[in-house]
Every structure is written in structure tokens, then in C-alpha cells.
């Protein structure tokens, strides 16, 4: 895109509706399968039409269920990162299970795509005190699980202040050297997230305003969405009404509006390469491609 004001990351947390905590904790169920795959396909086609790229943080159990859909993301040139193996909250697991979630997801994604997986995002931005140590042990190079949001009751926030890419030691002084952090963006001043549920609550103009304000500060906006938000969702007993608010066609229009803003939409890794040139990519595996 010409006449851009900067670069931005519109990342995709690749999880399906049945993998969300809201669905797993609900009293009801649905017999529909693959809820969100159509949204993932829409994303792939829409980004291709705009000659844009992205980073997909993938729940690796989808490699077993829908390998062709995940492989298509890599074939489109998108960066593939990990969103754990099962999409369970890391703080609900012991250290061995957390390590397994990180290691197994990276192994499965690399085996399928033939590309090195260097980035990680925790489900619900939920991390533990040993998070950066585990990332280093399992071969990752960067994390994107920090949100400098104000505290939101029943949600997250109030813990971090980092708003731009930095070495992970900016979050945890004891983090292993070489690890980097790419925080998800918040609205300057208001300090509420720019995307996820907040995009659906406040609308795309809210997000676009935040992007411009960040660009003026020299910060590349880092946004996130989910493929299940882009499709019609079945009503399931016990799933909160906020999960259904402005999903489907409304959300597709909102994402299109964001992608039409004067930004170059790129991968998370490319932003880190410029902002934190000393970050350490994951250990390379034999035969894996670097893009």
C-alpha cells in the first residue's frame, strides 16, 4: 500500500469455537464441527487480495484435525507461531504440562509446515512466573502474551506497562538473554485493548484511531482476532452473550475496515527484526525453511 503511515500486525489467534474457554465451560454443546474454519479461509483470501501478510498463532491440535487448513496458512506465506497444543490456560497446568504444551505445539507445527516456529502467544494472555524460562527451554525466540491494559475485572490487565517491542527482560529482568516480547496494543491513554472483544464492543473506528495514535509515537500496532469471530455461531447454553456480540458479517466488515487503513500489514517477526535486532530466533531444525 502506498502512502502508508507505518506498519502494523493484524495477527490471528487460530483457534476454533469449541476450543474457547467460554465454550468449554458452558453447560450446553453443539454438534457443529470446525466452527471458524470458514473465517480462516476468509482471512487468507482477504489478506491475499490486499497483498498483506500476518502471523498466525496456531493451536497445534488443529494439525491433527485440519492439517490442510493449517498448511494453507504457511503456503500463503504467513508466519506460523504457537498458541499452545490444547488452548488450556497455562496457569491451570503444572510446570511439566506447560513445558509439554510449548514443546509439542512447536514440534507439530514445524513438522507440518517445514518452517521454524519462533513465536508464541499464550491463550487469554495468561502466563506464569516461569514463562520466559520455558520459552527458552523449548526453543522459542519471542513471546506475544503481554497486554499493557488497565485492570479489567474478570479479565486481565494491570500487570504490565510495556507497549512496544523489547527484550523480554523489560517484562522479567530474569528472562533469558535473547528472548523478545511483542506486546499486543492498547489504546493510548484509555489503556484498553484495541482488538479482540474490544473491537466488537467499540467498533473499527476505535481501533483505527488507536492505530494512528500509536503510529505517531513510532509504535507499530499489534492487533489480534480469531477466525471464529468471523462466522455465524450456534447458540450454546452457558456461552456468555458477549461472545456472540458483533460476530459474523459485522466482524468481517470491521476487519476489512482495519485492513483498508493506511498501514502495511506485516508479520510479527518482521516488526521484531527492526525493533529488537538482537533477539534470538529459535534453534533451527534440519530441513526447516526460514522465510
Amino acid at each position: 500500500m502506498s502512502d502508508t503511515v507505518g506498519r502494523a500486525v493484524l495477527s490471528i489467534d487460530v483457534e476454533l469455537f469449541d476450543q474457547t474457554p467460554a465454550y468449554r465451560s458452558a453447560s450446553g454443546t453443539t454438534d457443529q464441527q470446525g466452527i471458524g474454519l470458514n473465517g480462516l479461509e476468509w482471512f487468507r483470501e482477504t489478506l491475499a487480495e490486499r497483498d498483506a501478510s500476518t502471523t498466525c498463532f496456531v493451536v497445534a491440535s488443529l494439525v491433527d484435525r485440519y492439517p490442510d487448513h493449517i498448511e494453507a496458512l504457511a503456503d500463503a506465506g504467513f508466519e506460523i507461531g504457537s498458541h499452545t497444543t490444547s488452548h488450556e490456560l497455562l496457569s491451570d497446568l503444572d510446570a511439566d504440562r506447560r513445558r509439554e504444551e510449548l514443546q509439542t505445539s512447536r514440534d507439530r507445527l514445524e513438522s507440518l509446515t517445514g518452517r521454524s516456529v519462533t513465536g508464541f502467544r499464550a491463550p487469554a494472555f495468561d502466563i506464569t512466573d516461569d514463562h520466559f524460562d520455558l520459552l527458552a527451554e523449548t526453543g522459542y525466540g519471542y513471546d506475544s502474551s503481554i497486554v499493557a491494559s488497565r485492570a479489567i475485572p474478570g479479565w486481565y490487565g494491570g500487570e504490565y506497562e510495556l507497549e512496544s517491542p523489547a527484550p523480554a527482560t523489560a517484562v522479567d529482568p530474569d528472562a533469558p538473554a535473547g528472548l523478545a516480547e511483542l506486546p499486543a496494543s492498547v489504546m493510548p491513554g484509555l489503556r484498553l485493548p484495541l482488538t479482540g472483544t474490544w473491537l466488537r464492543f467499540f467498533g473499527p473506528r476505535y481501533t483505527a484511531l488507536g492505530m494512528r495514535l500509536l503510529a505517531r509515537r513510532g509504535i507499530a500496532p499489534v492487533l489480534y482476532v480469531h477466525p471464529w469471530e468471523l462466522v455465524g455461531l450456534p447458540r450454546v447454553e452457558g456461552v456468555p452473550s458477549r461472545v456472540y456480540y458483533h460476530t459474523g458479517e459485522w466482524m468481517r466488515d470491521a476487519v476489512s475496515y482495519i485492513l483498508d487503513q493506511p498501514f502495511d500489514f506485516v508479520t510479527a517477526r518482521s516488526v521484531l527484526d527492526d525493533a529488537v535486532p538482537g533477539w534470538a530466533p529459535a534453534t533451527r531444525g534440519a530441513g526447516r525453511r526460514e522465510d
Side-chain angles (χ1 to χ4, degrees):
M1 179 183 293
S2 60
D3 301 322
T4 62
V5 298
R7 300 195 298 170
V9 179
L10 181 56
S11 59
I12 309 172
D13 288 357
V14 182
E15 67 204 53
L16 300 185
F17 181 58
D18 64 2
Q19 295 174 315
T20 63
Y23 178 84
R24 290 201 305 254
S25 62
S27 55
T29 60
T30 177
D31 58 2
Q32 293 187 35
Q33 300 295 314
I35 301 171
L37 292 178
N38 289 343
L40 199 59
E41 180 67 16
W42 180 92
F43 237 125
R44 191 166 60 86
E45 294 175 354
T46 301
L47 289 167
E49 290 170 358
R50 289 165 167 79
D51 195 27
S53 192
T54 189
T55 295
C56 300
F57 294 101
V58 180
V59 176
S61 61
L62 295 176
V63 168
D64 298 328
R65 295 169 61 185
Y66 306 104
D68 291 347
H69 289 81
I70 305 307
E71 193 167 20
L73 300 174
D75 290 344
F78 302 157
E79 179 190 9
I80 303 298
S82 168
H83 200 37
T84 71
T85 303
S86 66
H87 203 251
E88 294 183 71
L89 296 180
L90 293 177
S91 63
D92 288 344
L93 310 176
D94 62 29
D96 288 340
R97 281 286 311 283
R98 291 195 293 271
R99 184 180 293 104
E100 181 181 355
E101 286 282 323
L102 271 61
Q103 186 66 68
T104 300
S105 62
R106 184 167 176 258
D107 290 345
R108 287 189 186 181
L109 293 169
E110 289 188 336
S111 178
L112 177 71
T113 66
R115 291 172 169 84
S116 182
V117 171
T118 61
F120 179 84
R121 177 172 289 157
F125 300 98
D126 170 62
I127 64 174
T128 54
D129 291 343
D130 59 355
H131 184 64
F132 292 110
D133 289 332
L134 291 178
L135 286 176
E137 288 178 24
T138 51
Y140 291 89
Y142 76 88
D143 178 62
S144 187
S145 306
I146 298 300
V147 187
S149 169
R150 66 171 63 202
I152 305 168
W155 216 287
Y156 52 69
E159 300 176 278
Y160 307 106
E161 298 182 357
L162 183 69
E163 296 186 30
S164 58
T169 51
V171 179
D172 179 356
D174 296 324
L179 280 176
E181 179 61 44
L182 183 71
S185 293
V186 299
M187 174 67 81
L190 184 61
R191 294 184 60 224
L192 285 175
L194 287 180
T195 41
T197 301
W198 306 97
L199 166 59
R200 294 191 281 113
F201 281 174
F202 298 151
R205 288 177 174 80
Y206 157 81
T207 299
L209 172 61
M211 294 172 70
R212 292 194 296 273
L213 293 175
L214 289 170
R216 291 173 190 171
R217 299 182 180 191
I219 300 173
V222 177
L223 315 174
Y224 67 96
V225 293
H226 308 91
W228 57 263
E229 293 177 293
L230 306 180
V231 303
L233 300 176
R235 291 288 170 175
V236 175
E237 183 70 27
V239 173
S241 59
R242 61 174 169 77
V243 172
Y244 296 96
Y245 184 69
H246 278 166
T247 53
E249 184 178 359
W250 188 98
M251 186 63 167
R252 293 194 297 273
D253 289 343
V255 171
S256 295
Y257 182 89
I258 291 170
L259 289 171
D260 288 337
Q261 299 306 302
F263 286 83
D264 285 325
F265 288 90
V266 299
T267 66
R269 180 169 178 158
S270 65
V271 169
L272 279 172
D273 284 343
D274 288 344
V276 191
W279 75 281
T283 303
R284 307 303 189 229
R288 291 171 182 147
R289 295 197 300 270
E290 294 306 314
D291 301 304

